[in-house]
Amino acid sequence: MKFIKYFLIFFLFAACGSLKKNKTAYFTTSEKVEKDMNFLASDELEGRDTGTGGIEAAATFIENVFESNKVKPFFDSFKDSLSNYEKPDYNIVGYLKGRDKELSKEFIIIGAHYDHIGIENASRGDSIANGANDNASGTTAVLEIAKYFSSAKSNKRSILFVLFSAEEKGLLGSEHLAKRLKNQNLDLYVMLNFEMIGVPMVDKDYLLYLSGYERSNMAATINLMAGEELIGFLPKAKEFSLFQRSDNFPFHKVFNLPAQTFSSFDFTNFDYYHKPGDEVELMDFDHMVKVINKMIPAIEEIANTEERVIKYN
């Protein structure tokens, strides 16, 4: 049955001319990625803890990127104030309307959390948890993807580019926004979340793994769209229940639609999770650029297919 399902997906894309093999495209560069990362993971932002001046500075940076690239606010402003956190804090939500009259009523969310854990008590040395991999890397990916689509204007479906706050406090930002959008009857198709993509995996023949891999046909569909084994299955992601531990999960709960996270943190390739050593100097910008440049064509396909091809199993 699984073979038949994948064959039908392949046939769909081949029939409509959507499947493109061996895509090599350069939508962003390591220099652009490094520039974003150097600011978002700088000591100046003091670890981007929720409700602090550091995350406020990060929010302003994100808003400026959206404004300079003509990404519009989805609400009255880019700031989506959290209703479930005791300090003033907010998600940042950018919006690109789709170019098709009917498909533009459907939405894709491209997300990542931009908060981190702030300043840690340390017995010696650095106490700022800069959060380069977690999750300035995912934030940078969302910003670079937004820059591409704002320039290309190629998306038939509408796209929300969302940077979540309070992920480290228990997925509060995504929980708030999922409920808000559901109350507004947003017609959500799929939610794609980026988490810790700053370093490549070790001894893997795929670039990223997908949380909740077995729950949907998302990985298989994206691999067909990319023309290569871009997304794989990481057993430890299932073992450690990562599907429930990132900002995709509230959208899964509220909308019951495909909402999953892409990552390259495989528990062997990075020693500074939630530690002050999570510094920008340890990031592999060539790897990040490869992730972004290979994901953009797949996202473009997702935004443009006439039918909703990504579904839960």
Side-chain angles (χ1 to χ4, degrees):
M1 289 297 293
K2 185 177 288 188
F3 173 80
I4 294 172
K5 179 178 68 177
Y6 290 164
F7 176 79
L8 289 174
I9 294 171
F10 178 88
F11 180 80
L12 171 65
F13 287 114
C16 69
S18 297
L19 184 62
K20 301 179 180 68
K21 295 290 184 182
N22 300 319
K23 291 180 180 178
T24 302
Y26 302 94
F27 305 109
T28 191
T29 65
S30 57
E31 290 78 15
K32 292 177 182 178
V33 167
E34 183 175 4
K35 182 179 179 181
D36 289 350
M37 290 288 290
N38 278 336
F39 179 75
L40 290 167
S42 65
D43 284 353
E44 178 186 344
L45 270 59
E46 297 184 328
R48 307 186 310 278
D49 197 6
T50 307
T52 67
I55 198 168
E56 177 77 29
T60 299
F61 175 82
I62 294 164
E63 288 180 290
N64 288 339
V65 170
F66 283 166
E67 287 177 350
S68 62
N69 286 278
K70 298 181 180 178
V71 176
K72 304 296 184 184
F74 184 66
F75 302 114
D76 292 337
S77 74
F78 288 113
K79 292 183 173 70
D80 167 43
S81 297
L82 302 195
S83 58
N84 54 357
Y85 191 67
E86 64 271 16
K87 296 179 182 179
D89 205 77
Y90 29 77
N91 304 315
I92 307 297
V93 185
Y95 167 56
L96 281 179
K97 185 177 180 179
R99 61 183 179 87
D100 183 88
K101 182 178 179 181
E102 292 303 318
L103 288 178
S104 65
K105 299 172 185 176
E106 302 177 11
F107 283 78
I108 295 167
I109 293 176
I110 310 295
H113 75 90
Y114 74 111
D115 66 306
H116 195 50
I117 59 174
I119 298 175
E120 295 285 278
N121 293 324
S123 58
R124 65 178 185 272
D126 190 7
S127 61
I128 298 175
N130 297 84
N133 200 20
D134 185 16
N135 189 32
S137 64
T139 299
T140 296
V142 173
L143 294 179
E144 292 302 309
I145 293 167
K147 291 175 189 176
Y148 168 75
F149 280 102
S150 68
S151 175
K153 298 179 175 60
S154 59
N155 53 299
K156 293 182 179 180
R157 290 183 173 87
S158 296
I159 305 177
L160 296 184
F161 301 99
V162 183
L163 288 311
F164 299 104
S165 190
E167 188 268 358
E168 303 287 4
K169 308 299 183 184
L171 311 182
L172 297 183
S174 50
E175 178 184 74
H176 157 85
L177 183 59
K179 291 177 180 177
R180 183 177 185 183
L181 295 176
K182 183 68 171 179
N183 288 337
Q184 293 186 359
N185 295 314
L186 185 90
D187 187 4
L188 181 63
Y189 166 25
V190 68
M191 189 272 190
L192 310 176
N193 191 55
F194 289 87
E195 175 88 45
M196 298 184 72
I197 62 163
V199 292
M201 289 183 285
V202 177
D203 297 327
K204 302 292 191 301
D205 59 0
Y206 49 88
L207 195 61
L208 299 166
Y209 66 85
L210 185 70
S211 70
Y213 179 94
E214 71 285 354
R215 292 173 179 264
S216 76
N217 66 351
M218 187 183 293
T221 303
I222 288 176
N223 287 341
L224 285 169
M225 290 171 169
E228 62 180 291
E229 195 74 5
L230 183 59
I231 312 298
F233 171 66
L234 186 74
K236 279 192 175 293
K238 186 173 184 179
E239 178 185 345
F240 289 100
S241 302
L242 297 191
F243 179 75
Q244 291 92 337
R245 293 172 59 184
S246 195
D247 287 311
N248 62 284
F249 190 56
F251 289 89
H252 158 75
K253 289 196 300 182
V254 171
F255 285 91
N256 193 30
L257 289 167
Q260 293 169 270
T261 293
F262 302 92
S263 180
S264 61
F265 169 63
D266 67 5
F267 298 89
T268 69
N269 60 348
F270 193 68
D271 296 329
Y272 300 100
Y273 173 69
H274 280 197
K275 295 178 182 178
D278 186 358
E279 300 275 4
V280 72
E281 290 80 7
L282 300 179
M283 299 299 98
D284 186 328
F285 298 126
D286 290 339
H287 163 72
M288 289 182 62
V289 166
K290 187 182 294 184
V291 167
I292 295 165
N293 285 343
K294 287 181 178 291
M295 282 298 297
I296 282 175
I299 294 170
E300 198 162 47
E301 295 273 9
I302 293 167
N304 291 337
T305 57
E306 292 300 317
E307 301 297 326
R308 299 189 185 196
V309 295
I310 296 177
K311 299 177 181 180
Y312 272 149
N313 294 328

